[in-house]
Amino acid sequence: MLQENLRNVAIIAHVDHGKTTLVDKLLRATDAFRANQQVEDRILDSNDQERERGITILAKNISIEYKGVKINVIDTPGHADFGGEVERVLRMADSALLLVDAFEGPMPQTRFVLRHAIDAGLAIMIVVNKIDRPGARPEEVVNDSLDLMMDLGATDEQLEFAMEHVVYASAVNGFARLDPADDNDNMYPLLDMIVDCLPAPDCDPDGPLAMQCVTVDHSSYVGRIGIGRVYSGTIHVGEQILVVKNDGSRAMACAKQLFTFDYLGRTECQEIKAGDIGAVVGIDHTDIGDVYTDPANPVELDPIEIDPPTLAVVFEASTSPLVGREGDIVGGRQLKERLMREAENNVTMRIEELGDKTGIEVAGRGILHLSVLMEAMRREGFEFQVGRPRVLFKEDEHGHRLEPVELAVVETPNEYSGKVIEVFGDAGGTMTNMQSGETHTHLEFKIPTRGIMGLKNRILNVTHGEGIFYHTFSEYGPYAGELGQRNNGAMISMATEKAVAYALGTLQERGTMFVGPGDECYEGMLVGERSKPGDMVVNVARTKSLGNQRSSTADIAVQLTPPRTFSLEEALEYIMDDELVEITPKSIRMRKRILDTIERKKDNVRRGRVNKLN
């Protein structure tokens, strides 16, 4: 039975193609705010990191009402590192708006999220955004999107639907049009097409209860909150329900509170009917994939499978000489408790304590996925250290080693394309596609995840900052052998003192500095990068010897180049196996695992690295 008063719509797109901005305008067009209400842009990006990075990290549910129809809108992350969110929340939708930039067209993450939408059998409507952007080519982008759907195995019905339902929009300026040449200045054409053309949920409100939890929220007052869609039947407050786990185990529970989504918030209700999306309170230890069903007539639903993590990093309590100066929480026990709490709420990460109790291993979908957790923890006042990210290998049925392989795409000015191909060749990449335009070249590569680490900076360097680089997990492929590591050695501080301008002035002739005058340094800390291979121990606190003769003012002045600063992701990609990143609320420092110079030399001799490292 079709629930004509409901529409469940997911918005899918590549990073920065305007999903969250479009949702803003839909909320405004349906009078979600009071006339005088002050509302920030990108209101769904409520997380501080989402606003700062300009990306959506967590899938969000809202609902709007238009022409008597409730439209549940699901804003999904566009970045592949948060693909676990995308895979799950698409189960709540019957249709999807594929948002594509009118200039860039389909990009790597477009392929990633679109593949999941096609596999879920959703009806897909193409929304070409940013049609007012200089260089926009909306008609070509529609054709490119249809070609991509064909490549990803879309059915004839999905292709025909997408071909007939295309909207041209500018989310920033708040208009949607059925033809780019129209002069319409509001969002109603898009809302009309959603209500009139997208399918309503087809379900039986009088059948046995079947609801699947696809997202877990957490409250310090009521514990875990299961969020999902009711596929059949109706769930009532106080009702005894059967909870079926992914592993087949069963338990009885009581639905103590129910909520449905209402514009930007949740509204408590007495029941949630089939086809609607809601939240259930009272299911102890509920998890992703749990099915809430009728005990007398249980319904089976497919378990939720999530792509496995590809990278792991070990979190340890900080052993830095500066520990405790910038953060309030430095103990190993608190670090473990915080990460185990994360394990309860974040199903896309695998978090386990090491066997020797020296640290906690956190496995995720990529560097960004892991760094978002680290950034959240440092903002909470934690000080800790992490090692180099480690790729998670697999074995096939014949015992052959497999490793994660990424699809990488680079858009570069034509004159730099040769350099880009050379950089990928050094990192173990294989070119799969090359398209040359009048000014830019489009390059596609298959490259091991190990080779991706540190690659972005090299691409930006060889393209003089004009290259655009994206990558997304593709598959597990054959082990590619040893790959080249960092070519240049590090400058390592020999003492725990503040850096001095005079010492930095002489050292910057030997390479690039990471610290400036007055910065706190300690023995074993990385303070710069040499222009040659091999590490070098340096004194950043050396001052000029003063004699009894006068010196000119020109001799006193030191011209210093600004130090190179690292983001969290860049630091994780930069370090080697014997190095760590120290993370505090105010600083990101890189250091050797063994701080003492003599002990480090002894360890290098034991490991046979004496010719490479000091």
Side-chain angles (χ1 to χ4, degrees):
M1 185 190 301
L2 293 177
Q3 307 299 305
E4 293 292 353
N5 63 333
L6 278 174
R7 299 290 184 277
N8 296 318
V9 184
I11 300 186
I12 58 175
H14 180 79
V15 176
D16 203 31
H17 278 196
K19 296 185 304 301
T20 307
T21 306
L22 183 75
V23 174
D24 273 7
K25 299 306 183 200
L26 292 177
L27 283 164
R28 293 173 194 276
T30 52
D31 299 324
F33 311 116
R34 299 189 310 274
N36 62 345
Q37 189 173 348
Q38 295 295 311
V39 182
E40 297 180 79
D41 288 337
R42 293 188 296 114
I43 192 165
L44 283 199
D45 283 348
S46 51
N47 182 316
D48 287 345
Q49 289 195 64
E50 290 181 317
R51 290 194 164 277
E52 290 166 20
R53 295 172 186 263
I55 62 173
T56 299
I57 294 172
L58 301 171
K60 315 278 192 322
N61 292 66
I62 64 159
S63 79
I64 54 180
E65 191 165 317
Y66 183 68
K67 291 184 175 178
V69 176
K70 180 182 179 182
I71 306 170
N72 286 314
V73 181
I74 306 155
D75 181 23
T76 63
H79 200 288
D81 280 16
F82 309 105
E85 292 276 330
V86 178
E87 295 160 52
R88 289 182 278 120
V89 298
L90 287 182
R91 287 179 170 245
M92 296 191 287
D94 301 292
S95 53
L97 304 186
L98 173 63
L99 203 62
V100 191
D101 188 299
F103 174 74
E104 294 181 351
M107 298 294 278
Q109 268 90 351
T110 311
R111 170 183 289 270
F112 174 82
V113 291
L114 181 56
R115 186 181 77 231
H116 286 301
I118 288 171
D119 291 346
L122 304 186
I124 294 164
M125 189 168 97
I126 298 173
V127 180
V128 182
N129 194 26
K130 306 185 184 181
I131 60 170
D132 53 344
R133 180 176 174 179
R137 45 189 187 92
E139 286 85 2
E140 287 178 49
V141 166
V142 171
N143 291 332
D144 291 346
S145 301
L146 292 169
D147 289 344
L148 178 58
M149 288 180 65
M150 206 176 300
D151 290 345
L152 294 174
T155 63
D156 292 342
E157 291 79 10
Q158 286 174 318
L159 285 167
E160 284 175 20
F161 189 91
M163 215 178 298
E164 294 169 5
H165 300 89
V166 180
V167 176
Y168 304 90
S170 170
V172 167
N173 293 310
F175 66 76
R177 299 167 179 172
L178 301 181
D179 187 302
D182 289 348
D183 58 358
N184 178 63
D185 62 353
N186 56 51
M187 299 300 293
Y188 296 129
L190 175 57
L191 287 163
D192 286 334
M193 191 174 282
I194 289 173
V195 169
D196 298 338
C197 303
L198 291 185
D202 188 3
C203 49
D204 181 9
D206 300 320
L209 172 65
M211 177 179 181
Q212 189 165 35
C213 173
V214 299
T215 305
V216 174
D217 201 352
H218 190 272
S219 162
S220 54
Y221 298 104
V222 297
R224 286 189 162 201
I225 304 169
I227 299 171
R229 171 178 168 173
V230 181
Y231 292 96
S232 72
T234 303
I235 185 169
H236 301 87
V237 170
E239 187 176 11
Q240 289 292 318
I241 56 176
L242 178 68
V243 180
V244 182
K245 299 278 188 184
N246 270 347
D247 60 5
S249 61
R250 302 181 172 207
M252 294 297 293
C254 176
K256 294 177 183 174
Q257 280 181 296
L258 299 177
F259 295 87
T260 54
F261 292 92
D262 179 22
Y263 289 103
L264 289 170
R266 294 180 194 158
T267 301
E268 190 167 354
C269 59
Q270 295 301 306
E271 62 180 23
I272 307 171
K273 293 185 176 179
D276 206 354
I277 295 170
V280 182
V281 174
I283 317 296
D284 293 337
H285 309 296
T286 192
D287 216 335
I288 303 300
D290 285 1
V291 177
Y292 310 150
T293 186
D294 185 347
N297 193 5
V299 178
E300 290 187 6
L301 296 175
D302 293 334
I304 293 180
E305 294 181 9
I306 299 167
D307 285 351
T310 56
L311 280 179
V313 70
V314 174
F315 286 61
E316 304 170 15
S318 179
T319 56
S320 162
L322 305 180
V323 66
R325 295 196 186 183
E326 297 176 356
D328 303 322
I329 311 171
V330 299
R333 181 178 56 80
Q334 292 103 316
L335 181 67
K336 177 182 173 181
E337 287 174 357
R338 171 64 178 82
L339 290 171
M340 290 309 167
R341 262 199 327 273
E342 186 72 22
E344 286 185 13
N345 302 327
N346 193 336
V347 72
T348 58
M349 284 184 168
R350 194 182 69 230
I351 301 177
E352 299 169 346
E353 188 171 15
L354 296 180
D356 58 5
K357 310 291 186 185
T358 55
I360 311 290
E361 185 176 73
V362 179
R365 293 286 284 270
I367 292 280
L368 181 61
H369 193 197
L370 296 167
S371 70
V372 164
L373 171 60
M374 297 175 197
E375 182 66 34
M377 290 176 61
R378 72 187 287 231
R379 292 179 186 208
E380 293 167 15
F382 282 86
E383 274 194 39
F384 55 97
Q385 61 193 29
V386 296
R388 189 178 192 222
R390 174 179 66 85
V391 168
L392 298 174
F393 297 103
K394 280 185 174 181
E395 284 192 358
D396 63 14
E397 61 271 17
H398 305 296
H400 298 140
R401 200 179 196 189
L402 302 176
E403 67 175 324
V405 176
E406 309 258 340
L407 170 66
V409 176
V410 180
E411 298 274 349
T412 175
N414 292 337
E415 61 265 33
Y416 305 129
S417 59
K419 290 281 189 185
V420 171
I421 294 169
E422 185 180 328
V423 166
F424 272 90
D426 292 343
T430 305
M431 188 166 68
T432 57
N433 189 17
M434 179 178 181
Q435 297 173 356
S436 296
E438 291 183 14
T439 58
H440 282 71
T441 301
H442 175 89
L443 299 164
E444 294 184 12
F445 300 86
K446 285 285 184 73
I447 179 170
T449 300
R450 289 179 298 141
I452 286 286
M453 285 190 268
L455 203 62
K456 186 174 183 178
N457 280 334
R458 293 171 64 191
I459 296 294
L460 289 174
N461 287 339
V462 299
T463 61
H464 295 202
E466 295 185 49
I468 300 172
F469 173 51
Y470 293 108
H471 61 92
T472 182
F473 172 75
S474 173
E475 62 199 357
Y476 268 83
Y479 178 63
E482 292 298 321
L483 298 179
Q485 297 196 354
R486 192 171 75 212
N487 295 323
N488 296 349
M491 295 186 195
I492 306 163
S493 175
M494 65 166 57
T496 303
E497 295 184 67
K498 288 186 178 181
V500 174
Y502 177 77
L504 299 179
T506 56
L507 289 173
Q508 70 181 8
E509 298 169 9
R510 313 283 293 273
T512 305
M513 302 310 300
F514 301 159
V515 295
D519 287 353
E520 291 273 6
C521 302
Y522 54 82
E523 183 180 8
M525 178 175 156
L526 272 59
V527 293
E529 181 184 276
R530 286 187 74 188
S531 52
K532 298 178 182 179
D535 292 346
M536 177 174 69
V537 179
V538 299
N539 184 0
V540 292
R542 185 166 67 91
T543 56
K544 184 179 179 183
S545 302
L546 299 177
N548 59 1
Q549 71 275 21
R550 294 185 180 188
S551 59
S552 68
T553 53
D555 193 31
I556 297 169
V558 177
Q559 296 294 321
L560 288 179
T561 305
R564 178 182 170 188
T565 57
F566 286 80
S567 68
L568 197 43
E569 293 89 19
E570 289 168 345
L572 290 169
E573 291 177 338
Y574 183 82
I575 59 172
M576 305 294 283
D577 290 334
D578 65 329
E579 295 166 353
L580 298 168
V581 178
E582 179 196 346
I583 301 167
T584 77
K586 295 180 182 176
S587 309
I588 296 169
R589 306 183 185 97
M590 293 175 289
R591 49 163 283 187
K592 288 292 182 183
R593 183 173 287 279
I594 301 175
L595 297 177
D596 185 84
T597 305
I598 304 299
E599 290 300 320
R600 193 165 60 248
K601 285 184 177 180
K602 289 179 181 177
D603 185 67
N604 290 332
V605 170
R606 283 196 299 271
R607 296 174 183 269
R609 296 185 297 186
V610 68
N611 294 326
K612 297 181 184 177
L613 303 165
N614 288 325

